[in-house]
Amino acid sequence: MTGNDFCVIDNCLMIRMPEEIDHHGASMISENADRYLMREDVNHVVFDFERTRFMDSSGIGIIMGRYRKISCFGGRVYAIHADKQIRRIFNISGLNQVMEVLEV
């Protein structure tokens, strides 16, 4: 992932997720996201899954970690462009209870 995969629009941190989300890249995604959360005026986090074709449990950890941080301040977590497989992971893991999947 590059710096172009993270941006702040209004008060939302937009994170464009990679094609494969596994333990190799999870820490980098989390660290970059946390940097933005600390230095920018961000109230919500939006994960964009348009490119994502595979996600393991480390992806769940990325989302849950950002949810824990942003929800302390009344913020919310959203997902966009989640395909059927990604939505299934959200349902099985319970992520659909802590974040909203938006239709765009």
Side-chain angles (χ1 to χ4, degrees):
M1 289 187 74
T2 67
N4 294 337
D5 293 323
F6 297 84
C7 69
V8 176
I9 300 173
D10 294 327
N11 63 348
C12 295
L13 171 59
M14 307 290 292
I15 303 172
R16 188 168 43 172
M17 301 298 273
E19 185 174 343
E20 293 188 6
I21 306 168
D22 56 23
H23 71 279
H24 293 293
S27 62
M28 185 190 70
I29 295 167
S30 295
E31 289 168 13
N32 283 334
D34 289 349
R35 242 181 260 122
Y36 276 90
L37 292 175
M38 296 300 287
R39 73 173 191 228
E40 302 284 340
D41 183 24
V42 172
N43 296 330
H44 307 289
V45 179
V46 179
F47 291 96
D48 183 347
F49 288 93
E50 185 171 25
R51 298 184 301 183
T52 306
R53 300 297 162 247
F54 172 81
M55 182 172 86
D56 67 11
S57 61
S58 60
I60 296 167
I62 293 168
I63 296 166
M64 284 303 300
R66 286 355 87 209
Y67 166 76
R68 283 189 209 106
K69 289 177 189 274
I70 203 79
S71 66
C72 291
F73 304 104
R76 303 208 43 207
V77 176
Y78 301 93
I80 59 174
H81 301 125
D83 67 16
K84 185 177 178 179
Q85 180 181 354
I86 300 297
R87 287 173 186 259
R88 184 171 182 271
I89 293 169
F90 294 164
N91 289 331
I92 291 170
S93 67
L95 280 176
N96 58 336
Q97 303 297 318
V98 300
M99 71 180 207
E100 186 176 346
V101 178
L102 301 175
E103 299 293 332
V104 291

